[in-house]
Amino acid sequence: MLAMSSKTQLAKEQFARFAKAYGAHRPVIQRALTGGFVAYVILTTYQSLAARPGGSGGGKGGKGARGKGKGKEKEGDKAPRVAVDAVFYQRLSRILRIVIPSLKSREAILLFMHSSLLVFRTAISLYVASLDGKIVASIVRAQPLAFLLNILRWLLVAIPATWCNSWLSFVESRLSSAYRTRLTDEVVRSYLDDGEGGGKVYYKISNLDDRIKNPDQMITNDIQRFSAHLAAIYANMAKPVLDVILYNYQLSQNVGGEGLVVLTVLVQASAALLRKLTPPFGQYTALSASLAGSLRHTHSRLSEHAEEIAFFRGEETEKMLLEREYAGMVMHERRVLMGRWWHGIVEEGIVKWLWGSFGLCICAIPVFFKLPGVSVADLGGRTEGFVTNRRLLLSASDAFGRVMYSYKDLSELAGYTARVSLLLDTMADVRKGKLEKALVSSASTEENAKILRGKGQVIESEEIRFDSVPIVTPNGDILVKSLSFHVRPGEHLLIVGPNGCGKSSLFRILGGLWPVYGGTVHKPPASQFILIPQRPYLPLGTLRDQVIYPHSKLDMEALGRADDELLDILSVVQMDHIVEREGGWDAAKEWRDALSGGDKQKIAWARLFYHRPKYAVLDEATSLVPTEMEGRMMDYATELGITLLTVSHRPSLWKYHSMILQYDGQGGYVFTKLDAEKRLALQEEKQALETKLLEVPKMKARLAELKAAVDAKAL
């Protein structure tokens, strides 16, 4: 018993010495604990947002079927993994260099303003927390003068507080707009750039590559959402981290660093649990954007092909397709909403209620325990301390909650970053000629695969010459294994053959739209080509713009050309009356609806006569105009020195051409001089024989009737 008593006494003495030593060195310990807390917050935030080891699939680093689309499976068939990982930070870093090009840029200045306002607002919040405690203390102490002075301070601090909050919203919106402008300018510049070798991205990305089905939505909606999230994420991350550090520092001065350490341990343990229960919101966001784009694409196809659908009475089928796309999107959104619902319950339970109970316990420490170095306060002092600490703790809890929420925001930003990065990567690959396209089954044969692995040459020349050039569609279908022909200036070429044999494909190779897989193509620069399709493109703008496209009025005037010349050109195609009828050259309409099919083709010919290129590609360009007008336009084009490459089934056009390229539809062709009179004679003889052959079944039937009648009389 005596030994036990002595041990207890010894323990008390040791504890007393420890408490005395601790009290003597408490200021140093407090600084160490506070410094350790700040370092811990920064390190923890960095680790929680730093790159996590990524799995396969995601980003530019994924090993896909690059190059000319080798393989039967599309890379896009696998949903890319979206997460806050190394790939995300690599993508974001690349985009940040676009939206913030330098430290002296407007965006950098706006970001600095935003940061300054965030720090200023935190300072105001600290002052308001202290002022709250003083107001309540003056009430408890029944000091009306002190109460009124504190209320006056409250009203005065409201002026910079409201100013700061409004400015924060304004600067954040300006940041979002500036980011969107920078990114849109970069994307549109690359999308519509007509540089040699890497141009026509807007065509190739939709027709030669399978990775992006709806670039219009990505350029508009996805970039806008990405910019808004990027502008908001800075405030949602930087401000809460700053608040956590400053609020908890002030709180440690009031309740001691020991309580802060205990609070940190409890909060981090529950935060780890919450993070484990957080759904993959980044992947949800990327998939939502993809499904919305797919639904929009289905609607646009319905509008684009409305005439054919109406004639085929395909309303039910199209309705089924739309409902299927919409149902898929709705099912995904419901899944996301359900995930947000239960995650919101868990999140609020932990962040608001559990952390709130921890905070109340920490706030009560100065009331129930005597802290070394802290003087004992009266009731008003204890009330002031409790209210101030409570306000600081609520603010710190809210800030830490926003840090937790910011991971969800960061996950959503990762989703939009993946979409924007996919757009940028695909455009960069397309400019380099790296295409991904699903190939037809015949492309896997050894002979065809060898052709697809090849690469031809394109040489600028005054004439058009194909030397052993394969005609290959984007999906790897080889229409002609080796095509050779030449067209000299002034030698009009007629191209004929069955549908799908490679007539239009030849023009796309000439225009630089399709790659050359072998041989050598000699051709003039693209500026010396003009294409007139069966359905000409009429841009938005004035009547003048329809004739001079893609020139503007300023371009036309800079070339020394005037409206009178345009009127003369329209008179050649007998369209000069349209100027007065439509209200003058500056009349603006939706011209594709205002003009008939024949008038559209005449406008396209007038555009050809205005530009006067060396070569013109005519793809059924006279199918809707009378024969006499067709001849007039062909003769005038010849007078201007324009060499014509014509696809047409009209025999009336043969006499205007000196060469013919005829496909047989089986991969073969004939290139020779065209004797129009002889060919017309043969065509007429062929038609006459076909007409006679059509009469043969009728003659046979009549002969059978006559034989039957003769046999009946003989009986």
Side-chain angles (χ1 to χ4, degrees), residues 460-474:
E460 193 169 306
S461 171
E462 288 295 319
E463 63 179 22
I464 296 174
R465 178 187 293 273
F466 275 48
D467 292 330
S468 303
V469 177
I471 305 298
V472 184
T473 64

Side-chain angles (χ1 to χ4, degrees), residues 422-461:
L422 174 63
L423 178 63
L424 294 172
D425 290 343
T426 303
M427 288 195 301
D429 286 344
V430 168
R431 289 176 64 84
K432 296 174 184 176
K434 298 179 181 179
L435 307 172
E436 292 183 14
K437 187 76 175 177
L439 304 181
V440 295
S441 57
S442 61
S444 60
T445 63
E446 184 177 350
E447 184 180 4
N448 291 351
K450 183 178 179 181
I451 293 176
L452 292 173
R453 287 194 298 268
K455 186 174 182 180
Q457 285 184 308
V458 178
I459 300 175
E460 193 169 306
S461 171

Side-chain angles (χ1 to χ4, degrees), residues 12 105 483 564 636:
K12 287 182 179 180
S105 63
L483 176 64
D564 292 340
Y636 191 70

Side-chain angles (χ1 to χ4, degrees), residues 98-118:
I98 296 174
V99 298
I100 308 178
S102 70
L103 294 177
K104 296 181 180 179
S105 63
R106 180 182 59 178
E107 293 78 12
I109 295 173
L110 286 172
L111 200 59
F112 176 76
M113 289 177 58
H114 200 219
S115 304
S116 303
L117 289 169
L118 290 175

Side-chain angles (χ1 to χ4, degrees), residues 13-14 23 98 158 243 258 301 312 399 541 567:
E13 291 176 358
Q14 289 177 345
I98 296 174
D243 287 352
E258 304 85 352
R301 287 182 67 258
F312 279 104
L567 191 62

